[in-house]
């Protein structure tokens, strides 16, 4: 299982991560970043750390950290 | 050791000896011997040769090669040289040093493969977009084809600027005795700015693009460009004078035309006419320092050049600073004749020739 | 399965592409590929004119800004001087296939040993959405206001078919960024192209179908569905040439 973290400062609210997430863990939040975009929020309870959001995000918002410390790349 | 060589071949061999290890270009008369010579000589010297699909592809391969730190050259003539202007403008904006040879021919459009000096404007006036300048050397002999191409590389690197060698069909096609420079080699890693992969100087990589974007503010950039060109104007003017000191009329010429001017000076002096010559070796920066010595002292300057109308005449007019009148003798497709030159000079002195 | 996914160090920071633009993904895939192959330190990128030039902001490797259409010629010059470096051009379809088609085709024809990355979004994005050689039949742009017609502009250009006729080409593939599976495949294509280059096999190219939500006047999600539908129907996705070139 990975732990998701978000750099919402980079988010442009495109919604591609929401489309990719198979667990419904992502949604547009009520918060707005410095660029004026309403940013993405993740629900930790639903996230399984699959990394699909990382893969499709054009703006480098997501980091999935392996809680065992080893690395895996695709 | 002197040897007999064709002008175009001497230029190509001298470039190799000056450490140039990259050529990319396209056939066009009267330049093709340069391309042909490099096609076998460049690989022999351990360099890279490409016959590209156009002059545009050629100049841009040279842009890449020079940006990667190599001494690189391309050559063309008239219409083909025009196609290189886009790349030359980019070279000046990125400040990438390279050498571009224009073996001039005659006329606009297709023109003709006759010898001529039709490209003065497009070589000296920043022929591409945006308004830049760059050093332009104008050889007048096979020896100078060799000497000036070698000097062109040094000047290019001194200012991080493209440099033009403005040869012509006559100089390129003639055979002459030439002393070639010693062979040199250069390390492609010698410039910190050159593309080589990120390193301690550029931990996030180089961004070698219009220097206006990342290296200067827009206002600073204008000043930076002016300062570069001012330094070239101050330091790089080259010219030859022939009996100009006491001359009543001073001819102003370059390249093939200047050879006839030398003959005319001799012939005029033999009949008591005090004729002199300023031969521009750099046509940009134009040798204004030579003019400063004679402005208001000589009674006239007369430019002699092989084009449909006076091109260099405009630079002579500016250099004369309205202190000495300038006359123009464009000779079109024909190399000037010394008798014609002397006849024109006599017309000037008799008030029969209209000033430029 | 244990895993960590984080932004490659070779990404300098936030990019300046429009929301939902595919360029951001492609740039990250290149950074990941370079790091995984151990070539981030020696990579050199010839950058095109157009939206592609925004790669300057995002990608932390050596880059050169080339005249419009000429990035592949510049890349060829760089690679000839520095054959040990990994050299690639980064171009859009307007740059590489319209104004730069000669430089593109002749780089392949002459077997210049760099990798060409073409991001194909079927429009001139930076200039406001004019038709490109890859605009689909019927697609509306600012210069095909009633939709592109075969009568007026011919059929969309397929560079993979043109390249495919050149026997010396080392590696050719067309990828897409329209979903996670295709993004991962595209990364594999980029890595294989880079590997073919560094093996000295010859010219390699990866064309990548990518959305331009701004100039397609579509939401980012709908843009991806358009690629999954009509765009990839015209431009089939997959590897076209593998194991080609000098080592074949």
């Amino acid at each position: 299982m990975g732990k998701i973290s978000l750099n919402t400062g980079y988010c442009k609210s495109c919604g591609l991560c929401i489309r990719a997430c198979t667990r419904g863990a992502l949604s547009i939040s009520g918060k707005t970043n410095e660029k004026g975009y309403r940013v993405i929020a993740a629900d930790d309870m639903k996230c399984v750390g699959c990394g699909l959001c990382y893969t499709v995000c054009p703006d480098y918002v997501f980091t999935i950290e392996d809680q065992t410390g080893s690395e895996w790349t695709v | 050791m002197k040897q007999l060589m064709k002008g175009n071949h001497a230029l190509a061999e001298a470039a190799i000896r000056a450490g140039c290890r990259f050529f990319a270009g396209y056939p066009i008369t009267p330049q093709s011997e340069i391309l042909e010579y490099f096609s076998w000589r460049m690989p022999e010297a351990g360099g890279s040769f490409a016959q590209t699909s156009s002059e545009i592809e050629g100049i841009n391969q040279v842009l890449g090669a020079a940006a990667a730190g190599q001494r690189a050259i391309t050559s063309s003539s008239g219409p083909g040289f025009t196609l290189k202007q886009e790349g030359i403008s980019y070279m000046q904006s990125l400040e990438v040093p390279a050498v571009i040879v224009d073996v001039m021919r005659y006329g606009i459009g297709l023109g003709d493969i006759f010898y001529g000096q039709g490209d003065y404007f497009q070589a000296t006036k920043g022929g591409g977009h945006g308004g830049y300048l760059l050093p332009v050397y104008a050889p007048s002999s096979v020896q100078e084809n060799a000497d000036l191409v070698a000097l062109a590389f040094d000047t290019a690197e001194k200012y991080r600027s493209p440099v033009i060698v403005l040869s012509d069909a006559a100089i390129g096609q003639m055979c002459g005795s030439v002393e070639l420079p010693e062979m040199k080699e250069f390390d492609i890693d010698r410039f910190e700015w050159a593309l080589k992969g990120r390193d301690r100087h550029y931990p996030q990589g180089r961004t070698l693009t219009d220097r206006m974007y990342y290296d200067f503010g827009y206002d600073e950039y204008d000043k930076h460009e002016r300062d570069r060109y001012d330094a070239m104007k101050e330091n790089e003017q080259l010219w030859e004078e022939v009996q100009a000191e006491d001359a009543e009329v001073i001819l102003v010429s370059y390249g093939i035309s200047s050879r006839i001017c030398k003959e005319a000076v001799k012939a005029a002096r033999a009949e008591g006419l005090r004729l002199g010559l300023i031969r521009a070796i750099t046509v940009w920066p134009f040798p204004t320092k030579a003019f400063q010595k004679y402005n208001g002292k000589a009674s006239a300057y007369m430019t002699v050049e092989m084009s449909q109308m006076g091109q260099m005449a405009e630079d002579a007019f500016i250099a004369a600073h309205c202190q000495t009148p300038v006359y123009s003798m464009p000779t079109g497709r024909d190399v000037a004749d010394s008798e014609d030159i002397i006849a024109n000079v006599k017309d000037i002195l008799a008030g029969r020739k209209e000033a430029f | 399965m244990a895993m960590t996914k984080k932004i490659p160090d070779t990404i300098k920071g936030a990019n300046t592409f429009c929301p939902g633009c595919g360029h951001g993904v492609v740039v990250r895939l290149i950074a990941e590929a370079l790091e995984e192959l151990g070539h981030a330190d020696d990579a050199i990128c010839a950058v095109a004119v157009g939206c592609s030039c925004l790669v300057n902001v995002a990608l932390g490797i050596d880059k050169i800004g080339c005249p419009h259409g000429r990035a592949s010629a510049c890349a060829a010059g760089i690679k000839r001087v520095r054959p040990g470096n990994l050299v690639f051009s980064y171009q859009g379809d307007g740059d590489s296939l319209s104004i730069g088609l000669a430089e593109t085709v002749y780089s392949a024809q002459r077997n210049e040993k760099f990798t060409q990355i073409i991001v194909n979004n079927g429009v001139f994005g930076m200039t406001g959405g004019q038709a490109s050689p890859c605009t689909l039949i019927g697609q509306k742009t600012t210069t095909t206001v009633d939709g592109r017609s075969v009568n007026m502009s011919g059929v969309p250009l397929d560079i993979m078919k043109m390249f495919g006729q050149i026997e010396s080409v080392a590696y050719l593939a067309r990828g897409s960024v329209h979903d996670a599976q295709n993004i991962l495949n595209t990364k594999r294509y980029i890595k294989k192209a880079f590997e073919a280059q560094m093996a000295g096999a010859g010219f390699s190219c990866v064309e990548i179908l990518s959305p331009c939500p701004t100039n397609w006047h579509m939401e980012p999600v709908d843009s991806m569905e358009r690629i999954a539908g009509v765009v990839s129907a015209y431009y089939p996705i997959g590897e076209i040439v593998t194991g080609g070139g000098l080592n074949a």
Side-chain angles (χ1 to χ4, degrees), chain B residues 148-220:
Chain B
L148 293 179
V149 79
L151 178 60
F153 279 108
D154 294 339
T155 305
E157 292 176 1
K158 181 175 173 185
Y159 295 98
R160 277 184 64 177
S161 170
V163 172
I164 293 169
V165 176
L166 191 64
S167 178
D168 61 59
I171 306 293
Q173 299 295 326
M174 71 170 61
C175 281
S177 137
V178 58
E179 178 92 45
L180 291 163
E182 290 296 305
M183 184 69 91
K184 289 181 186 167
E185 301 268 350
F186 290 95
D187 178 6
I188 58 172
D189 289 335
R190 69 197 180 286
F191 302 123
E192 199 174 283
W193 56 263
L195 302 170
K196 55 180 77 68
R198 66 189 185 191
D199 50 28
R200 65 189 169 86
H201 301 295
Y202 296 87
Q204 291 200 310
R206 291 163 182 79
T207 302
L208 185 60
T209 185
D210 288 38
R211 297 201 70 197
M212 180 177 74
Y213 295 141
Y214 296 98
D215 298 343
F216 297 95
Y218 279 38
D219 294 339
E220 290 170 22

Side-chain angles (χ1 to χ4, degrees), chain B residues 245-266:
Chain B
E245 303 235 319
D246 67 340
E248 195 173 4
V249 176
I250 300 177
L251 302 175
V252 180
S253 192
Y254 73 105
I256 183 65
S257 296
S258 67
R259 295 169 70 106
I260 312 304
C261 290
K262 282 187 185 174
E263 187 186 289
V265 168
K266 207 182 218 176

